[in-house]
Structure formats: structure tokens, C-alpha cells
Amino acid sequence: MPDDPHQPEPDGDLVARAKEGDTRAFDALILKYGDKLYGLIYNMTSNREDTHDLLQDVFARAYQSLPKFRGQSAFYTWIYQIAVNMTLNFLKKRKRRSGLSLNDLDSSVQNDPALVDLDYQANPERHSNLHELQKKLNEAMQHLSEPHRTVVTLFDIQGLPHTEIAKILKVSEGTVRSRLHYAHQQLQTHLQDFWE
């Protein structure tokens, strides 16, 4: 246990303890990264139920695979790789099953306290504008290819640097920058009517 109870325990210590069977250590990792992974998956799927299910699957897979984790990358890079890969696989299966319609999107993100600052509700006009912007942004994100949606989610929404995104996706930093540039152009095109 760390000396300062307010100081979070380093990932390496938590991982080592979790590998030895300490489920509380793994729970601490879940608490540490759960909200960020939720945001990542939600912004890729645009559906809360799918996000909850996938998040449970990601943590289950990570727990089962923990003995294979060698520490060659940061724990959060490793678990993000698991989350991104599982979400991309899910999206491919979902597309094959039914072909997602933009009408199927879960546009209730504005009610999800894990993702939104609720202070805007005090101003009805701002609330309406944010709701419309979120709806348009969800639609625009769904027009992006999965690789482009993934880099936008990791960079613009999760705030990860290019180097970490490259490690998570196992691509070069140049590829990350290129995908971001193209995705931003596409989003700008899709959102242009909203701004005019």
C-alpha cells in the first residue's frame, strides 16, 4: 500500500498485485481507467448499452490476459489496445448484422453525467444548441471510417498524444497525423451547415 492514502498507487504496483490474485488491485485499475474507457467506447459506438456491455468484456479480457502482460508498454496503452480492438471487432460485426442507421444512434449523451458537464442545463438556449451540436457531431462521427473515428476519439475526445495513439493502434505517428487530418476535414464538411 502507498504511504499517502490520497496518492494513487502506481499502475506497475497494482498490476503486480493483480497478477498475484489481488482482485482489489485490479478493481483499482478499473476505477482508474473505467471512465476514460467508457468515453472511448461510447464515442466509437454511440450506444450506451453497447458501451456498457463492451466495457465489461474489455475488463474481463484484460483480467484474463493479465498474466501475459509483460510491461513493455504502459498498462493504460495495453488496456486501450484491448478496448480499441474489441470495439472495432464489435463494430464490424454490427455492420455485417444490420447496417447501422443514423436513426439508431443513442443521442442521449447529453444526459450521461460521465460524459457531459451538466452546468449547461441552467441555460435553455445553450442546452438546445449543445443538444443539436451533439446530435450533428454523432452523425458526422458515424460517417467516418472506423480507423478515422478511432483516432478522433483517442486524440480529440480522450486527449491522448500522437505517440500513445500510435502505440495503441500499432501504426506510425505519421499515419495517426494523416488520419486525424483527413478525419478533421470530413467532420468539418459534415458540420459546415450547422455553423452557417
Side-chain angles (χ1 to χ4, degrees):
M1 297 303 274
D3 295 334
D4 180 359
H6 301 293
Q7 185 70 21
E9 216 173 327
D11 288 357
D13 295 348
L14 291 170
V15 168
R17 287 181 30 224
K19 281 182 169 186
E20 293 171 2
D22 184 346
T23 56
R24 288 183 304 173
F26 192 75
D27 289 346
L29 290 166
I30 289 174
L31 285 173
K32 190 171 186 178
Y33 295 110
D35 287 345
K36 287 184 177 187
L37 290 171
Y38 181 92
L40 166 74
I41 296 168
Y42 182 86
N43 283 291
M44 291 176 69
T45 65
S46 295
N47 183 291
R48 283 191 293 169
E49 288 178 25
D50 291 341
T51 299
H52 287 292
D53 292 345
L54 273 166
L55 189 59
Q56 295 301 315
D57 293 345
V58 165
F59 284 128
R61 172 85 49 88
Y63 188 74
Q64 292 167 350
S65 301
L66 203 55
K68 298 176 189 169
F69 178 64
R70 301 285 174 239
Q72 295 172 338
S73 65
F75 176 79
Y76 83 88
T77 301
W78 180 75
I79 200 163
Y80 266 63
Q81 285 175 334
I82 292 172
V84 166
N85 290 335
M86 289 182 73
T87 304
L88 289 174
N89 288 339
F90 168 81
L91 291 171
K92 287 176 191 166
K93 288 178 191 170
R94 182 170 75 178
K95 191 184 292 183
R96 272 187 255 134
R97 267 197 326 260
S98 65
L100 175 68
S101 160
L102 291 177
N103 296 329
D104 296 335
L105 295 179
D106 180 359
S107 62
S108 61
V109 67
Q110 68 275 2
N111 296 322
D112 195 329
L115 300 174
V116 162
D117 176 9
L118 297 177
D119 290 340
Y120 75 90
Q121 291 180 344
N123 182 334
E125 184 179 342
R126 186 168 178 225
H127 173 79
S128 176
N129 288 343
L130 283 175
H131 176 73
E132 186 62 24
L133 175 60
Q134 183 62 53
K135 183 178 173 190
K136 294 289 185 193
L137 187 56
N138 272 351
E139 290 173 5
M141 287 284 285
Q142 294 306 311
H143 280 80
L144 296 176
S145 69
E146 289 161 4
H148 291 98
R149 190 177 334 142
T150 301
V151 295
V152 166
T153 300
L154 291 170
F155 182 77
D156 293 313
I157 298 171
Q158 296 282 305
L160 296 178
H162 293 139
T163 53
E164 286 302 319
I165 296 170
K167 289 177 190 173
I168 290 167
L169 300 179
K170 297 181 182 176
V171 298
S172 71
E173 283 186 58
T175 298
V176 170
R177 286 188 180 91
S178 173
R179 287 180 186 174
L180 269 174
H181 177 74
Y182 177 80
H184 288 159
Q185 285 181 324
Q186 294 302 306
L187 289 172
Q188 189 173 19
T189 300
H190 286 294
L191 294 171
Q192 194 164 6
D193 293 340
F194 183 78
W195 300 120
E196 293 175 349

